[in-house]
Amino acid sequence: MDTVYLDNNATSRVDPAVLEEMLPYFSELYGNPSSMHTFGGQVGAKLREARERVAAVLGCDASEIVFTSCGTEGDSTAIRSALEAQPDKRHLVTTKVEHPAVLNLANHLVKKGYHLTLLGVDSQGRLDLDELRGSLRDDTALVSVMYANNETGTVFPVQEIAEIVKSRGIALHTDAVQAVGKIPLDMGTLPVDYLVLSGHKVHAPKGVGALYVRKGTPFRPFLIGGHQERGRRGGTESVPSIIGLGKACELAAAYLEDENTRVKALRDRLQAGLLAGVPESRLNGDPERRLPNTVNISFKFVEGEAILLLMDQLGICASSGSACTSGSLEPSHVLRAMGVPFTFAHGSVRFSLSRFNTEAEVDYVVAELPRVIARLRAISPFSEERQGLGLG
Ligand SMILES: *Cc1c(COP(=O)(O)O)cnc(C)c1O
């Protein structure tokens, strides 16, 4: 078996159709889309098509799309725009389980004098909407809530959240990097002000993304320079990548159904196989309101990193929820916020599928992983406790 890639929430394969659409813009069609001449103009026309394709997947107007260099830039630009536009409001609300692109910026802003409320989650990673209601203040400038969690796949009820936040007239940002292509999005009915997506999570290249800014919403460019993006982001456009993002968004809409049927069935097969095949394993995240491609499982008494290393030898790619590699033995901030017990949190593995996965790959993992876990448990420092539980 070649590489079995189950790490699509970290990054995804560029779809061959996306690459094909990009290639001419690296070679023959190298004009600057801002040029007056026809040669550049044809690139400008293709850029407009890409903008329309991204707008179509969000159900918004093309003029509401700003291309960025990545999801992180989109998150930063949205949050900083909302704060800069309302200098008298110094309070920000977000959650404990956001991606570092939001959480680390929020913590940075605290050092700059902003007040921060971090909403907690329950054991399944769900928000308490009453806690959200109670957190909103007269000086709240922005609420930032991710659409779907990258580690557990738990989906937040952004529609309900938006109704609560907008009824107080507060700006709302959502990091939808993991939602695009997996959940239908329609900015016509979802009253958020800023929404962020990233190319490399949706089978487009790394280093490109888009920020949706609702018409009339305050905006402050992050990169001040030329008139590109209607003055909302200076810098010559990353043309091939943007064209790739446009194509990827078109495909995301076309494959949405497949993602929620075939890919979801593969994910469910993997989840059922692993939970049945490995004693003392448990699911992390909301069993129902969850991305169709994601499953995060904790295997008690083993280190996620060790599981990843042994899986790597079998050609299986996944992610762990702990961060031992960075020198700390802290489990992920997401699992900690959920209160996952220590002996489970350390042994967590996230599997994230895509339309390129097959049933044979899932069956291979279901067959191999129980042996991997058994091997690791045999040498586990928790072995006494393990035997006490009758797992010896
Ligand atoms: C990957 C990811 C990001 C960051 O996107 P980049 O394009 O890598 O900067 C932000 N938020 C979530 C939820 C992600 O999964």
Side-chain angles (χ1 to χ4, degrees):
M1 181 83 53
D2 298 332
T3 298
V4 175
Y5 190 77
L6 301 177
D7 205 9
N8 287 277
N9 289 10
T11 197
S12 63
R13 172 186 180 166
V14 172
D15 191 293
V18 168
L19 178 64
E20 192 187 341
E21 192 116 351
M22 292 170 66
L23 284 175
Y25 296 87
F26 284 110
S27 48
E28 310 94 74
L29 299 172
Y30 56 83
N32 188 320
S34 298
S35 293
M36 289 299 293
H37 42 71
T38 310
F39 184 66
Q42 63 190 334
V43 178
K46 190 70 183 172
L47 211 60
R48 277 194 292 283
E49 181 193 67
R51 199 180 304 280
E52 273 154 24
R53 284 171 163 179
V54 174
V57 86
L58 298 180
C60 70
D61 196 83
S63 65
E64 296 172 304
I65 298 296
V66 180
F67 289 118
T68 62
S69 69
C70 58
T72 303
E73 183 191 324
D75 286 333
S76 260
T77 306
I79 294 170
R80 288 171 182 276
S81 280
L83 297 180
E84 263 189 56
Q86 309 166 85
D88 50 326
K89 296 188 175 176
R90 306 287 292 175
H91 179 231
L92 173 68
V93 176
T94 185
T95 82
K96 290 184 178 173
V97 297
E98 296 297 310
H99 187 275
V102 170
L103 210 45
N104 286 345
L105 175 62
N107 288 326
H108 170 78
L109 290 166
V110 170
K111 290 187 206 136
K112 299 281 169 194
Y114 285 93
H115 305 284
L116 175 65
T117 300
L118 287 178
L119 303 173
V121 294
D122 69 8
S123 62
Q124 296 191 343
R126 294 175 302 204
L127 286 175
D128 175 349
L129 296 186
D130 284 331
E131 189 189 354
L132 167 68
R133 276 187 201 94
S135 74
L136 303 178
R137 315 191 324 204
D138 291 340
D139 68 336
T140 304
L142 179 73
V143 175
S144 174
V145 172
M146 72 198 316
Y147 209 110
N149 190 274
N150 45 301
E151 289 191 29
T152 62
T154 297
V155 177
F156 282 155
V158 178
Q159 186 80 40
E160 281 170 79
I161 291 168
E163 280 153 21
I164 294 167
V165 173
K166 296 316 295 177
S167 76
R168 294 283 304 265
I170 296 167
L172 178 63
H173 160 247
T174 185
D175 174 340
V177 169
Q178 293 293 346
V180 176
K182 300 167 191 162
I183 298 171
L185 296 171
D186 178 13
M187 307 319 291
T189 53
L190 185 72
V192 309
D193 302 297
Y194 309 91
L195 178 143
V196 167
L197 60 92
S198 170
H200 72 109
K201 308 290 176 77
V202 293
H203 305 293
K206 296 160 187 63
V208 67
L211 166 60
Y212 158 85
V213 186
R214 184 176 296 279
K215 221 169 260 164
T217 300
F219 186 82
R220 301 288 182 274
F222 192 51
L223 291 184
I224 297 171
H227 59 272
Q228 294 92 351
E229 300 297 295
R230 298 171 171 229
R232 293 173 296 181
R233 185 183 188 272
T236 301
E237 300 87 346
S238 183
V239 169
S241 292
I242 290 171
I243 290 167
L245 178 61
K247 183 65 183 175
C249 283
E250 187 187 71
L251 293 177
Y255 280 108
L256 185 64
E257 174 74 18
D258 181 63
E259 192 79 25
N260 283 282
T261 52
R262 196 184 61 86
V263 177
K264 181 172 185 289
L266 287 179
R267 188 281 309 271
D268 289 343
R269 187 181 178 92
L270 178 66
Q271 175 178 322
L274 292 180
L275 291 176
V278 182
E280 291 288 344
S281 57
R282 61 178 241 184
L283 178 71
N284 294 314
D286 191 326
E288 302 302 327
R289 291 194 73 143
R290 185 157 47 111
L291 291 174
N293 77 318
T294 306
V295 56
N296 186 313
I297 298 182
S298 281
F299 304 99
K300 205 174 182 183
F301 306 127
V302 283
E303 285 291 338
E305 311 281 310
I307 303 171
L308 291 191
L309 284 175
L310 292 192
M311 284 203 299
D312 190 48
Q313 291 172 5
L314 299 167
I316 303 165
C317 307
S319 281
S320 85
S322 58
C324 306
T325 44
S326 61
S328 77
L329 276 166
E330 287 285 286
S332 93
H333 69 286
V334 176
L335 298 183
R336 266 185 293 152
M338 289 161 61
V340 175
F342 179 91
T343 47
F344 272 109
H346 278 278
S348 76
V349 179
R350 175 191 69 191
F351 302 91
S352 45
L353 287 72
S354 82
R355 60 179 179 257
F356 294 106
N357 289 121
T358 65
E359 196 169 290
E361 290 177 327
V362 165
D363 290 347
Y364 173 68
V365 177
V366 169
E368 295 294 333
L369 201 62
R371 278 200 284 275
V372 165
I373 305 291
R375 256 178 79 190
L376 291 171
R377 280 183 178 163
I379 56 168
S380 164
F382 301 105
S383 60
E384 267 173 38
E385 192 185 343
R386 180 171 54 85
Q387 278 159 8
L389 283 174
L391 290 168

